[in-house]
Amino acid sequence: MAIAETATFIDEAEIGSVLEAGAKHDSGRVREVLAAALEMKGLGMSDVAVLAGISDPEMLGELFAAARQVKEHIYGRRLVIFAPLYVSNFCANDCTYCAFRLRNKEVKRRALTQDEVANEARILVESGHKRVLLVAGESYPNEGFDYVLKCIDTVYKTKSGPGEIRRVNVNVAPLNMDEFHALQEAKIGTYQLFQETYHRETYRQVHLVGKKRDYDWRVTVMDRAMSAGIQDVGVGVLFGLWDWRFEILALMQHVRHLEQAFGVGPHTISVPRLEPAVGSDVATHPPKPVADIEFRKLVAILRLAVPYTGIILSTRETANIRRETFALGISQISAGSRTNPGGYAEEEGGITEDGQQFSLGDHRSLDEVVKDIAGLGYIPSFCTGCYRLGRVGKDFMDLAKPGDIRMHCDPNALSTFAEYLADYASPETRVVGEALITETLATMDPKSRAVSEKLVEKVRAGRRDVFV
Ligand code: SAM
Ligand code: SF4
């Protein structure tokens, strides 16, 4: 199959006309779309446009109720937890919204040595993390792309006490086929990359120099990744650059294209909003700011539109917004994050936030986040089972769509949470967490409960890394 080289699948004229038609809906049509959404087979572009056009508070309430129902049915009360690991902030691009941009003199540049990467990984392991998202600017001084491969290898090799990082996801600039083959051999989990904005003119205005100016090279990146055998890919938009309604419809076109070309859409969608960044006016004053209520709305719409695609919320959001949006559709969150290379070691040594990519909305430690979300009734999951067993890409979706994946996810979430509580939690978090495990087991169907109890018992008896 020929790999797409231009963004023919992003059709701005189609988005414009679908949005215009969607804005003319009445409540009857909205309810029709919501009823279809509850069948959990996903939505088409015109349905998404109808939901994007909702302004009536009553209809908005019904949208949120439908999203909560779908989220609860498919994901239950699990929230997968990960930490970003920034390895380098050198960059040859100049994205107006990012502190790492080439011409920003206000940021101290640093590429971690492999010893430093191992140290960061050790700190994350010792705080209880099992999943890491490796992040870098687009420039790898001296070593080229091999630097990224070495970093992945270092993270996987780092062990400390009973723990290790079991899945490394990667967010680095678009790669060519050879590089993707190498990334696949390095056993990454998800390859993640955000288009930032799908709106071509806005894209041109915010990307001033460097390879990132090439919209087509970026938007076709997942075609190359999937052709090279990377089955789990993560897409995203940096909300605040252009109209969010346009962006979610473009996301739908991207998903549709990947489904048609590869038989499976993206594994995850990330929904970062622009955060203030040192040396960036655009980040401080987003051209198209997305208000909190609109943000919740777009998360709810995405949950209904692509029910089986994970939605990732990062540390960019405050603890309050995170809490509100979990119920609407979020399935993965970052916790205890630092966005400057070496940030975890610096924090351990009492220095903070020099050279970070953007300001964090949530400064709490992993333990505080775990205690908070467990107190809200969510089960923090550190599971990496699917990736380890090769349940990825289309195989994963084939299990997920009939609902069979919960037979794996629910027990694995509980066993990895039990591991966290036993090995890393503070006494207060352990009390909250153990109560949640007991309560959750009591409400499970008999089959899942039996599997879960067995796994949790193994963990309590000292076994680690058990999953089904
Ligand atoms: N350099 C690579 C790239 O640009 O794709 C990968 C790493 S980059 C640090 C990861 C993401 O950070 C970008 O895709 C962008 O969406 C996000 N980002 C940049 N500046 C941001 C800001 N001010 N607020 C929130 N997210 C930001
Ligand atoms: Fe570089 Fe990525 Fe930041 Fe752009 S978003 S300046 S490419 S690190």
Side-chain angles (χ1 to χ4, degrees), residues 86 91 93 95 97-100 135-138 171-174 192-196 212 218 237-238 272-277 280 283 316 357-359:
Y86 280 68
C91 194
N93 296 315
C95 311
Y97 45 80
C98 179
F100 295 173
V135 187
E138 186 168 1
N171 183 323
V172 296
Q192 184 188 81
L193 192 84
F194 312 150
Q195 182 59 26
E196 321 296 12
K212 193 160 169 183
R218 192 164 182 97
V237 163
L238 183 54
R273 274 196 292 186
L274 263 179
E275 290 295 335
S280 163
R316 294 165 177 89
Q357 191 202 3
F358 49 81
S359 311

Side-chain angles (χ1 to χ4, degrees), residues 8 12 40 69 82 93 139 214 216 230 253 272 296 331 336 344 352 361 385 387 392 413 422 447 449:
T8 46
E12 295 195 3
M40 300 182 215
Q69 201 175 319
F82 71 95
N93 296 315
S139 168
D214 189 341
D216 292 291
I230 294 180
Q253 289 181 332
R296 293 171 65 197
S331 55
Y344 297 109
T352 49
Y387 150 76
V392 292
K447 206 168 150 202
R449 180 180 174 161

Side-chain angles (χ1 to χ4, degrees), residues 326-340:
F326 292 162
L328 293 174
I330 299 300
S331 55
Q332 290 193 29
I333 60 166
S334 53
S337 312
R338 293 292 166 267
T339 64
N340 49 324

Side-chain angles (χ1 to χ4, degrees), residues 87-396:
V87 291
S88 164
N89 60 8
F90 282 95
C91 194
N93 296 315
D94 203 299
C95 311
T96 56
Y97 45 80
C98 179
F100 295 173
R101 68 195 171 82
L102 178 67
R103 290 179 288 199
N104 187 9
K105 303 285 175 243
E106 294 179 52
V107 147
K108 220 164 91 194
R109 304 289 164 168
R110 182 170 181 197
L112 300 185
T113 63
Q114 293 310 313
D115 282 349
E116 288 168 335
V117 172
N119 196 34
E120 293 286 281
R122 176 192 59 76
I123 294 168
L124 290 173
V125 168
E126 289 174 0
S127 70
H129 278 291
K130 300 284 185 279
R131 303 166 68 109
V132 150
L133 173 68
L134 197 128
V135 187
E138 186 168 1
S139 168
Y140 317 110
N142 309 324
E143 295 172 84
F145 181 64
D146 272 357
Y147 174 69
V148 173
L149 298 173
K150 282 183 196 158
C151 291
I152 297 169
D153 188 46
T154 301
V155 175
Y156 275 134
K157 281 189 177 139
T158 304
K159 312 262 179 244
S160 182
E164 68 275 300
I165 298 299
R166 298 175 185 158
R167 175 172 177 142
V168 179
N169 298 332
V170 174
N171 183 323
V172 296
L175 306 173
N176 62 33
M177 288 295 287
D178 288 345
E179 291 164 334
F180 272 127
H181 282 297
L183 207 53
Q184 164 74 353
E185 275 164 32
K187 300 204 172 357
I188 63 153
T190 307
Y191 172 74
Q192 184 188 81
L193 192 84
F194 312 150
Q195 182 59 26
E196 321 296 12
T197 172
Y198 284 93
H199 188 249
R200 204 177 264 272
E201 177 53 22
T202 305
Y203 188 93
R204 193 186 62 76
Q205 287 170 14
V206 295
H207 298 115
L208 302 181
V209 296
K211 193 149 176 63
K212 193 160 169 183
R213 280 180 64 72
D214 189 341
Y215 178 103
D216 292 291
W217 177 247
R218 192 164 182 97
V219 88
T220 54
V221 67
M222 298 311 174
D223 294 73
R224 295 190 296 281
M226 291 177 102
S227 301
I230 294 180
Q231 299 194 46
D232 285 349
V233 300
V235 298
V237 163
L238 183 54
F239 286 101
L241 293 174
W242 186 244
D243 181 13
W244 66 266
R245 296 169 193 82
F246 175 98
E247 302 289 15
I248 61 171
L249 282 159
L251 267 173
M252 294 300 293
Q253 289 181 332
H254 199 173
V255 170
R256 183 174 68 185
H257 163 69
L258 295 176
E259 281 174 350
Q260 283 168 358
F262 301 97
V264 62
H267 189 63
T268 56
I269 295 180
S270 295
V271 291
R273 274 196 292 186
L274 263 179
E275 290 295 335
V278 170
S280 163
D281 286 344
V282 172
T284 316
H285 306 288
K288 300 274 181 193
V290 179
D292 290 352
I293 185 71
E294 291 174 321
F295 186 65
R296 293 171 65 197
K297 191 166 144 187
L298 78 86
V299 169
I301 296 173
L302 288 175
R303 182 66 301 139
L304 298 178
V306 281
Y308 296 96
T309 303
I311 304 183
I312 304 180
L313 192 71
S314 77
T315 334
R316 294 165 177 89
E317 297 296 339
T318 61
N320 270 342
I321 290 287
R322 278 148 61 102
R323 256 183 236 122
E324 284 177 14
T325 44
F326 292 162
L328 293 174
I330 299 300
S331 55
Q332 290 193 29
I333 60 166
S334 53
S337 312
R338 293 292 166 267
T339 64
N340 49 324
Y344 297 109
E346 283 176 9
E347 207 205 357
E348 210 178 41
I351 316 162
T352 49
E353 300 190 354
D354 198 11
Q356 68 176 352
Q357 191 202 3
F358 49 81
S359 311
L360 295 170
D362 185 342
H363 295 263
R364 297 171 303 166
S365 68
L366 173 61
D367 192 67
E368 286 170 296
V369 173
V370 166
K371 188 169 86 191
D372 181 33
I373 63 177
L376 295 169
Y378 290 98
I379 301 152
S381 172
F382 298 85
C383 176
T384 54
C386 280
Y387 150 76
R388 315 272 294 291
L389 292 169
R391 281 194 303 253
V392 292
K394 194 166 176 312
D395 290 348
F396 172 83

